[in-house]
Amino acid sequence: MISSVRGEILSIGLDHVVIEVGGVGFAVQATPATLATLRRGEEARLHTALVVREDSLTLFGFADADARELFGLLQTVSGIGPRLALATLAVLDPDKLRSALVEGNITVLTQVPGIGRKGAERLTLELRDKVTALAGPTDGTPAVVAPGALRGEVVEALAGLGFPAKQAELAVDKVLGEGEGHTTASVLRAALAGLGRKR
């Protein structure tokens, strides 16, 4: 099992990145949000999941271990393969997905292309308890306490300070992914520190 890769970014496509590891270029499928954090020529580290099929070996990459765990968990549900699991994480960030599953929010889940009402109901039924366990203190992520609202507040505050929305979102997602203190003030401070270093 290849659980992570680190190396220079050789190229970035619409749905994948090629990372050179020990002289070998690995093609890694990833979400647009993950790809947006990478730069050609820079070194990066991605948490990965290797999916083995009769006719292929496919690496899927994630900015943090939390997203990778959810990717694996989604595939335990009948009818959800790796492509649909990745599409789910492309549409819904881990916090929003976890909230939707715990709350049984069918409307949010059906925003994912390929997931209809029945599929969404099956997801909530099968994953509600598993997701709550996954969100425990073991992986450093907080229990579900409206993280989407927290993210929105901080992004809005940064936009009000003059930062571009996309840059603000990436900074906030990075802070939330690192499992730092999840209050509006602490996330805002950490995001500002990160954005300050880039200026």
Side-chain angles (χ1 to χ4, degrees), residues 1-4 45-50 60-75 89 94 134:
M1 179 68 176
I2 301 171
S3 62
S4 72
R45 178 172 184 262
L46 288 176
H47 296 268
T48 56
L50 178 65
F60 292 86
F62 309 91
D64 55 57
D66 184 31
R68 183 184 61 193
E69 296 302 321
L70 280 169
F71 174 75
L73 198 61
L74 284 166
Q75 291 175 75
L89 288 165
L134 187 67

Side-chain angles (χ1 to χ4, degrees), residues 33-106:
T34 299
L35 294 171
T37 64
L38 308 173
R39 298 285 174 271
R40 193 168 173 233
E42 291 184 5
E43 184 170 290
R45 178 172 184 262
L46 288 176
H47 296 268
T48 56
L50 178 65
V51 175
V52 181
R53 293 281 184 266
E54 279 184 24
D55 57 348
S56 67
L57 295 172
T58 311
L59 263 181
F60 292 86
F62 309 91
D64 55 57
D66 184 31
R68 183 184 61 193
E69 296 302 321
L70 280 169
F71 174 75
L73 198 61
L74 284 166
Q75 291 175 75
T76 63
V77 177
S78 172
I80 306 284
R83 298 280 172 200
L84 192 49
L86 191 68
T88 304
L89 288 165
V91 174
L92 308 171
D93 63 52
D95 286 338
K96 194 171 181 183
L97 173 59
R98 194 180 283 112
S99 295
L101 291 169
V102 170
E103 294 161 10
N105 193 331
I106 305 300

